[in-house]
Amino acid sequence: MDNKMFCFQCEQTAGCTGCTGNAGVCGKTAGNAKLQDELTGALIGLARACSGNPRTDKTDRLILEGLFTTVTNVNFNDDTLREMIARVNEEKVRVVPGCAGCPSRCGNIDNYDMSRLWKADEDIRSLKSLILFGIRGMAAYAYHAMVLGYTSARVNEFFYKALFVLAEDWRMEELLPLVMEVGEVNLECMELLDRANTETFGTPIPTEVPLTVEKGPFIVITGHDLYDLKLLLEQTEGKGIHVYTHGEMLPAHAYPELKKYPHLKGNFGTAWQNQQKEFANLPAPVLFTTNCLMPVKDSYSDRVFTTEVVSYPEMVHVGDEKDFTPVIEKALELGGFSEDTEFTGINGGRTVLTGFGHGTVLSVADKVIEAVKAGEIRHFFLVGGCDGARPGRNYYTDFVKMTPKDTVVLTLACGKYRFNDLDLGTIGGLPRLMDMGQCNDAYSAVKVAAALAEAFECSVNDLPLSMILSWYEQKAVCILLTLLHLGITNIKLGPTLPAFISRNVLDYLVNNYKIAPIGDPAKDLEEILG
């Protein structure tokens, strides 16, 4: 472990135990992984320096940027990682200017050596990993809200608290409450982001999105950052360039303030793990706004642009000035397809539906409740989460295809690309398959579940509702912790259980929350419906 990398934060980690060689399954090198550990250690040192010392908005932003940078598939660039480490260290000196020259240094605010965490007792390592990976995911949500001008003092303060504790010698009984607090604070963070998005871009409305790419120059934009998309739409207006979403950007089509741009045409491609194949012969540039960047292939390396915290060696990066001129010029140079080109989803569909956030679903809550009471709707399934390449993810497609016609399937995040082009018909005037948005929109699912529980005067666990979740990276971790904070039980999780969960911690989750791995879709469905 000393001479190689160690990373087990994503679902595809090697052997379901950890990436320990010269490179991770995600594509980052051992050197890159160690720099991300060094950055995390510096953030812990900064958080400890801020304990009892004044911090600024700049400090808060740096904490968010640093944590977001270490999420899987965000930053593969050693140079930008070193720059961020330097910025964190400079900020620590600003916070405690006299500490470095102190003749009797206590070491309390030294940058933390992450190998101490990776070599810790497995149960302590497991709980601290849940905290660390949870706040990494939450930092991504907080960052998107911050970009739109929305912040929360409680959310920001919790990042410092959690980072501080990672360097403490706490026992399991002390760490468990903090793990649950990650979920509690993340609920507030998700509500903040939901408010930021809807107050900025409007309440999403159901929208049918074509998968055909029209002839002429175009740009593909991927990731989660809706503000970046808005800026790109503004800068491409009137230039004869069409804009297509990819991956987690698909739900942008449902927001009124983004829909109003006629050159936002449709969606290209499917989930993030297919990009190396889908981008290979694409006559257009691709702009990455957040995570889900895979190692870039030579076949399209001249067409990849990054922005925000995303970075890859030798790729053109659009900085804080947000001048997308290089992307626009590349689109005009490549020219796009010479004629309209028809693409389909994984199951052959030519369009997909999105826009069924809590604003839409709750606006027809009376019809939903009537349909349940009349026996027209027997059960709700939330089948959502991250997609990935590990075998076994076909489970989710098979499960959705098997759901009876008197059930509703709610979905969100990029896992939906496994089945979102299926036509499951309608029920009570609503589509049986409803896309609630990005993983960033997980608050919608929580809001709908809470509203149904209130309407039926029962707990969420007593609703005819089952959660069938897939996970890949750290945003899924903080969402899971939020569901546990809310007391939701009987969640089925897959395609594998997290490598960072020790046997004792897993037993705790199973005994208290009845978390179970996915199995055979037909058997799981039979068990759920009785």
Side-chain angles (χ1 to χ4, degrees):
M1 191 182 298
D2 291 332
N3 298 320
K4 303 290 184 180
M5 69 182 293
F6 177 76
C7 184
F8 61 175
Q9 70 175 353
C10 84
E11 190 271 333
Q12 292 182 177
T13 195
C16 295
T17 56
C19 294
T20 58
N22 294 317
V25 173
C26 69
K28 68 182 177 184
T29 65
N32 189 264
K34 289 180 178 180
L35 284 170
Q36 291 192 16
D37 273 356
E38 186 179 339
L39 173 56
T40 304
L43 292 169
I44 292 171
L46 175 58
R48 294 177 72 84
C50 291
S51 179
N53 293 301
R55 67 177 203 263
T56 66
D57 291 345
K58 177 184 175 182
T59 323
D60 292 348
R61 183 184 180 101
L62 198 53
I63 291 286
L64 295 185
E65 283 188 28
L67 287 170
F68 193 177
T69 294
T70 58
V71 169
T72 304
N73 293 84
V74 171
N75 191 307
F76 295 83
N77 192 330
D78 292 356
D79 290 339
T80 56
L81 286 170
R82 291 189 184 97
E83 290 171 6
M84 180 157 285
I85 292 167
R87 287 169 55 201
V88 173
N89 287 331
E90 289 170 4
E91 182 65 8
K92 187 169 70 170
V93 171
R94 188 202 64 77
V95 172
V96 282
C99 192
C102 176
S104 303
R105 295 186 70 254
C106 62
N108 288 338
I109 64 169
D110 287 354
N111 291 355
Y112 183 70
D113 179 0
M114 291 297 290
S115 68
R116 289 177 54 195
L117 193 157
W118 308 139
K119 295 176 181 178
D121 168 84
E122 66 171 354
D123 293 330
I124 300 301
R125 183 177 74 167
S126 183
L127 293 174
K128 285 190 174 183
S129 294
L130 277 168
I131 295 166
L132 174 59
F133 302 157
I135 62 173
R136 282 177 174 175
M138 185 165 64
Y141 297 143
Y143 184 90
H144 290 306
M146 178 192 66
V147 166
L148 296 176
Y150 289 71
T151 59
S152 161
R154 185 192 182 203
V155 170
N156 285 340
E157 287 165 5
F158 184 74
F159 288 116
Y160 293 88
K161 175 181 178 179
L163 285 167
F164 184 98
V165 168
L166 291 176
E168 292 290 289
D169 293 325
W170 281 21
R171 299 184 300 273
M172 281 189 68
E173 58 269 27
E174 295 172 295
L175 290 170
L176 269 170
L178 189 64
V179 170
M180 292 299 110
E181 192 175 354
V182 174
E184 179 184 3
V185 178
N186 185 60
L187 178 62
E188 182 174 329
C189 186
M190 289 195 301
E191 187 278 331
L192 179 75
L193 179 57
D194 176 82
R195 183 156 43 89
N197 283 337
T198 54
E199 291 182 0
T200 303
F201 304 112
T203 299
I205 57 177
T207 303
E208 186 174 34
V209 182
L211 304 182
T212 295
V213 176
E214 298 180 18
K215 67 179 181 180
F218 67 99
I219 295 170
V220 173
I221 181 170
T222 188
H224 305 74
D225 201 299
L226 300 176
Y227 186 61
D228 280 334
L229 172 58
K230 183 176 188 296
L231 295 176
L232 181 65
L233 290 169
E234 290 174 350
Q235 293 180 37
T236 50
E237 198 167 17
K239 290 185 168 64
I241 297 174
H242 297 156
V243 175
Y244 292 85
T245 56
H246 171 270
E248 285 275 65
M249 196 63 81
L250 165 65
H253 291 273
Y255 287 92
E257 288 301 308
L258 300 174
K259 283 171 63 69
K260 70 181 184 182
Y261 292 93
H263 58 300
L264 177 60
K265 288 290 185 177
N267 190 75
F268 170 80
T270 52
W272 67 272
Q273 77 275 1
N274 299 321
Q275 66 190 255
Q276 292 177 331
K277 177 178 66 175
E278 293 176 345
F279 295 166
N281 299 302
L282 194 67
V286 181
L287 175 64
F288 283 86
T289 65
T290 57
N291 57 316
C292 301
L293 170 68
M294 293 182 73
V296 181
K297 299 290 188 181
D298 290 342
S299 59
Y300 60 93
S301 61
D302 64 324
R303 291 176 266 129
V304 168
F305 298 81
T306 61
T307 191
E308 292 296 345
V309 297
V310 188
S311 188
Y312 196 87
E314 300 180 8
M315 299 296 105
V316 177
H317 186 79
V318 178
D320 292 341
E321 74 285 354
K322 294 297 180 181
D323 181 359
F324 292 116
T325 299
V327 190
I328 293 169
E329 290 177 344
K330 179 60 71 172
L332 294 171
E333 173 194 331
L334 293 171
F337 292 112
S338 58
E339 57 185 22
D340 291 358
T341 304
E342 194 173 79
F343 294 92
T344 65
I346 290 176
N347 302 286
R350 290 177 168 80
T351 62
V352 291
L353 272 172
T354 191
F356 291 90
H358 64 84
T360 294
V361 176
L362 294 183
S363 70
V364 293
D366 55 337
K367 295 180 180 178
V368 173
I369 293 167
E370 287 176 12
V372 173
K373 290 180 176 178
E376 295 175 19
I377 296 178
R378 179 171 32 148
H379 206 86
F380 297 88
F381 297 99
L382 175 62
V383 185
C386 315
D387 206 358
R390 189 187 295 278
R393 287 182 179 267
N394 58 304
Y395 167 95
Y396 298 94
T397 308
D398 295 341
F399 186 95
V400 169
K401 286 181 176 179
M402 292 176 185
T403 55
K405 292 183 178 180
D406 59 354
T407 62
V408 172
V409 177
L410 304 172
T411 189
L412 50 76
C414 61
K416 63 176 169 276
Y417 278 102
R418 296 269 168 178
F419 49 79
N420 69 334
D421 63 322
L422 290 171
D423 183 1
L424 299 184
T426 60
I427 186 169
L430 294 169
R432 278 194 55 228
L433 176 60
M434 290 187 275
D435 174 19
M436 307 188 83
Q438 302 178 340
C439 68
N440 295 20
D441 300 310
Y443 181 72
S444 274
V446 171
K447 189 84 171 174
V448 168
L452 289 175
E454 182 178 354
F456 287 107
E457 298 181 339
C458 66
S459 72
V460 171
N461 291 322
D462 292 326
L463 288 171
L465 168 68
S466 299
M467 297 192 179
I468 318 296
L469 306 181
S470 55
W471 81 282
Y472 177 74
E473 42 89 336
Q474 297 75 64
K475 284 183 281 184
V477 175
C478 62
I479 291 172
L480 176 63
L481 293 178
T482 291
L483 296 176
L484 300 184
H485 157 70
L486 293 170
I488 294 174
T489 60
N490 294 300
I491 296 169
K492 290 193 178 296
L493 185 66
T496 64
L497 295 178
F500 50 82
I501 299 292
S502 68
R503 171 53 58 183
N504 287 332
V505 173
L506 178 61
D507 287 345
Y508 173 85
L509 297 177
V510 170
N511 293 334
N512 289 274
Y513 300 99
K514 298 180 175 62
I515 288 181
I518 59 171
D520 176 79
K523 291 181 180 178
D524 285 351
L525 193 58
E526 182 181 2
E527 174 194 327
I528 291 168
L529 295 177

